[in-house]
Amino acid sequence: MSKPKILIVDDKPENLKALRKVLEDLDIELVEATSGNDALKATLRHDFVLALIDIQMPEMDGYELAGILREEEKTAHLPFIFISAVYKDNLFIFKGYENGAFSFITKPFQPEILINKVKFFIEKHQQEVALYELNEELQNSNKELEAFSYSVSHDLRAPLRAINGYAEILNEDYGSKLDDEGKRIIDIIRDNATRMGILIDVLLSFSRLGRKEIQMTEIDMNKMTEEVMVELNKSTTHNAKIKIGKLHEVKADYGLLRQVMINLISNAVKYSSKKKNPVVEISSEEKNGEIIFSVKDNGAGFDMRYADKLFGVFQRLHSQDEFEGTGVGLAIVQRIISRHEGKSWAEGTVNEGAVFYFSIIKN
């Protein structure tokens, strides 16, 4: 890694020599300029992390140089420290800050003060570089994950289509020769191939959630929940009694939050379906600057010892024979709520029901 470069600007060579002496033990590269024009030329050739600028210089003083640096795209955010004997009262200090100074040092100065200030800006730069590199790495990882997801989707769909196709051929051409057990096995093959296709679709949807841009809007949660219930009643046969309280309005992405409500209410209806009198209660409350929503059911519940597994991909606490599902719904809920900087959690008791919560920051 190259050493961080620092620009030092002073029209007096002896001052530049003094600065170089003070900073000689730091692992940096110093670039000197004896005028404002030389300093501007240096910024074209180098990328600086900090500039130390004297104010009193002929032709172009430090204030003028700072103003030009702030107008140039490359140096618009370059931190610099004014070093001058003219800082004697607040008027000069304010003028320095108005011209974009991050700090200032008066002459004569203590070497330790300058060294500590320079160290601070170097560390700040190194942190920014590290953060940038991590962000680049994360973006590259996301691109690789996206490519992998589509590749897996394509590679898996082809054999699934073949399995379905051959099962169909087997049923049509040889069905009359198969006994009931043979026909049952064909049905199992086709059902599992179909389910695998659904899992691929759900997994791809889950991977896309991290890339979808959040569109924040004011949401009437009662109206949204009523719409979700209309959709659920059309697609699912159930006899659950749904109790919807007066829900708080929130600011969130409508489409994503709607998916959260669909997943949670569908789960509550599903896992309470074996009860004689299934009940699902939906409510909200404001607490500590957050709006907390809850979806409660009196269904199968779960053992709290395994609560940490609920929101994992393909993690299920009940078998497919007990309750159908992909094992991705709650993982989608958690990812959506996390993208809204909220939290999701659950409480439950075996055979006594469960409550699923999520929070949205109040705006």
Side-chain angles (χ1 to χ4, degrees):
M1 181 181 294
S2 60
K3 296 181 180 181
K5 294 181 180 181
I6 295 178
L7 174 65
I8 52 177
V9 189
D10 198 304
D11 62 309
K12 295 182 173 56
E14 61 270 22
N15 289 342
L16 292 174
K17 183 178 180 181
L19 287 173
R20 183 177 289 278
K21 180 65 177 176
V22 169
L23 302 174
E24 64 180 355
D25 292 333
L26 298 181
D27 190 25
I28 58 176
E29 180 180 341
L30 294 176
V31 177
E32 299 179 2
T34 56
S35 69
N37 285 326
D38 287 343
L40 294 175
K41 292 176 183 178
T43 61
L44 297 176
R45 298 191 300 269
H46 304 279
D47 294 318
F48 295 108
V49 303
L50 175 66
L52 307 178
I53 303 174
D54 181 45
I55 291 179
Q56 291 179 303
M57 294 186 295
E59 297 180 4
M60 183 189 301
D61 65 22
Y63 294 138
E64 293 174 297
L65 173 59
I68 295 173
L69 290 175
R70 283 290 170 262
E71 292 174 358
E72 295 295 325
E73 182 178 354
K74 184 179 180 181
T75 55
H77 302 289
L78 173 66
F80 52 83
I81 301 173
F82 280 140
I83 302 178
S84 181
V86 300
Y87 276 118
K88 297 299 182 183
D89 56 46
N90 288 336
L91 177 62
F92 288 104
I93 294 174
F94 291 145
K95 187 174 181 181
Y97 285 128
E98 285 176 356
N99 282 276
F102 278 66
S103 185
F104 65 89
I105 294 178
T106 59
K107 295 178 181 179
F109 57 83
Q110 295 182 358
E112 293 79 9
I113 294 177
L114 177 61
I115 290 172
N116 287 334
K117 286 182 181 288
V118 171
K119 281 183 177 179
F120 169 81
F121 285 106
I122 291 174
E123 290 173 1
K124 181 175 179 293
H125 168 74
Q126 291 171 338
Q127 291 170 357
E128 290 173 349
V129 169
L131 183 61
Y132 175 81
E133 291 176 347
L134 284 173
N135 187 54
E136 286 285 301
E137 185 178 338
L138 179 60
Q139 289 184 9
N140 290 334
S141 296
N142 285 337
K143 290 178 181 177
E144 290 175 3
L145 178 61
E146 182 177 0
F148 174 75
S149 297
Y150 282 105
S151 175
V152 167
S153 171
H154 179 271
D155 293 345
L156 289 180
R157 287 181 196 281
L160 281 176
R161 285 193 295 269
I163 291 171
N164 254 328
Y166 281 113
E168 181 66 25
I169 292 172
L170 187 63
N171 185 55
E172 291 179 355
D173 294 351
Y174 300 95
S176 59
K177 299 179 181 180
L178 296 173
D179 59 13
D180 290 341
E181 179 63 12
K183 293 176 181 179
R184 187 183 71 84
I185 291 173
I186 289 177
D187 288 338
I188 290 174
I189 293 172
R190 295 174 64 183
D191 288 345
N192 278 276
T194 300
R195 185 168 180 270
M196 186 64 180
I198 293 172
L199 287 175
I200 291 172
D201 291 338
V202 172
L203 189 58
L204 282 174
S205 297
F206 179 74
S207 69
R208 292 190 190 105
L209 284 175
R211 302 187 300 275
K212 185 182 184 302
E213 185 178 350
I214 298 288
Q215 301 288 341
M216 304 294 278
T217 59
E218 293 290 341
I219 301 174
D220 182 333
M221 290 298 291
N222 277 99
K223 184 177 179 181
M224 172 193 280
T225 304
E226 289 169 4
E227 293 173 354
V228 169
M229 287 309 309
V230 170
E231 180 178 326
L232 182 64
N233 291 335
K234 288 181 179 178
S235 61
T236 305
T237 301
H238 69 90
N239 63 336
K241 183 177 181 179
I242 311 295
K243 298 180 180 180
I244 305 174
K246 183 172 176 55
L247 305 179
H248 290 73
E249 293 187 358
V250 293
K251 191 170 185 179
D253 185 291
Y254 185 89
L256 292 179
L257 201 58
R258 189 173 186 274
Q259 188 63 55
V260 168
M261 297 303 290
I262 289 173
N263 289 9
L264 291 181
I265 297 173
S266 297
N267 269 9
V269 169
K270 176 172 66 177
Y271 287 106
S272 62
S273 61
K274 296 183 180 181
K275 292 288 184 176
K276 184 177 180 180
N277 297 303
V279 178
V280 175
E281 300 176 60
I282 305 164
S283 60
S284 69
E285 65 173 327
E286 182 179 339
K287 187 176 182 180
N288 299 327
E290 295 180 319
I291 306 299
I292 299 175
F293 293 88
S294 63
V295 179
K296 180 180 180 181
D297 67 72
N298 64 340
F302 61 89
D303 191 327
M304 284 295 291
R305 288 179 299 174
Y306 308 109
D308 59 326
K309 293 185 177 182
L310 286 170
F311 295 94
V313 178
F314 301 140
Q315 294 284 349
R316 305 193 68 208
L317 301 186
H318 300 86
S319 69
Q320 187 72 17
D321 292 335
E322 290 180 286
F323 300 99
E324 291 185 355
T326 61
V328 181
L330 290 177
I332 288 174
V333 167
Q334 186 178 62
R335 174 164 285 198
I336 290 173
I337 297 304
S338 294
R339 293 209 62 197
H340 284 79
E341 300 181 355
K343 299 182 291 292
S344 51
W345 68 100
E347 298 172 356
T349 304
V350 176
N351 294 325
E352 294 184 17
V355 189
F356 285 83
Y357 301 91
F358 68 89
S359 64
I360 298 289
I361 296 173
K362 182 182 177 183
N363 290 296

